[in-house]
Amino acid sequence: MKYFLYGATGSMWEVVEDLSSALGVKFEERDSSYKGGKYFLAHGEGLQEISVESNWEDEEGFAAEPNFKEYPILVYFNGVGDKAWCLPSGSRVIVLLRVDEI
């Protein structure tokens, strides 16, 4: 399985709307202190889940993804096959940051 991390600019809601429209998935709003508060989760065909989260910092200043601080929004594609997903760019920047394989 592969796990893709994308970085995005714009608001979290704009990124969720773009992804929902482009991929045909429905996101549910969730809340978790582990993920820095509000985040969005979707499940789609050929993957376990897509999570849209903020690249938040904890009380000690540690970011969720410290190597990618320039991206305020993180998009995790978890448990996908071998292909990178074609994501909408529009007015927001969505960039592939990392691929992990387990």
Side-chain angles (χ1 to χ4, degrees):
M1 281 291 166
K2 288 193 177 181
Y3 299 84
F4 293 86
L5 170 62
Y6 291 85
T9 59
S11 76
M12 190 179 301
W13 183 245
E14 290 170 328
V15 172
V16 165
E17 285 182 335
D18 285 351
L19 290 173
S20 188
S21 175
L23 301 175
V25 296
K26 182 177 176 165
F27 284 87
E28 295 176 13
E29 186 175 333
R30 305 233 174 142
D31 192 275
S32 169
S33 59
Y34 177 73
K35 294 184 180 251
K38 179 175 70 169
Y39 72 101
F40 294 86
L41 190 65
H43 297 88
E45 188 175 323
L47 54 98
Q48 290 177 0
E49 66 182 24
I50 305 168
S51 178
V52 179
E53 309 170 14
S54 65
N55 194 3
W56 65 284
E57 290 187 4
D58 66 13
E59 308 82 43
E60 296 175 7
F62 294 104
E65 293 287 346
N67 293 332
F68 306 111
K69 287 186 178 183
E70 65 272 25
Y71 295 100
I73 308 298
L74 302 171
V75 181
Y76 294 93
F77 278 65
N78 297 320
V80 300
D82 288 334
K83 67 175 183 163
W85 290 78
C86 244
L87 299 181
S89 55
S91 61
R92 285 153 294 278
V93 177
I94 300 176
V95 176
L96 179 61
L97 302 176
R98 182 178 69 221
V99 178
D100 296 316
E101 188 169 357
I102 297 177

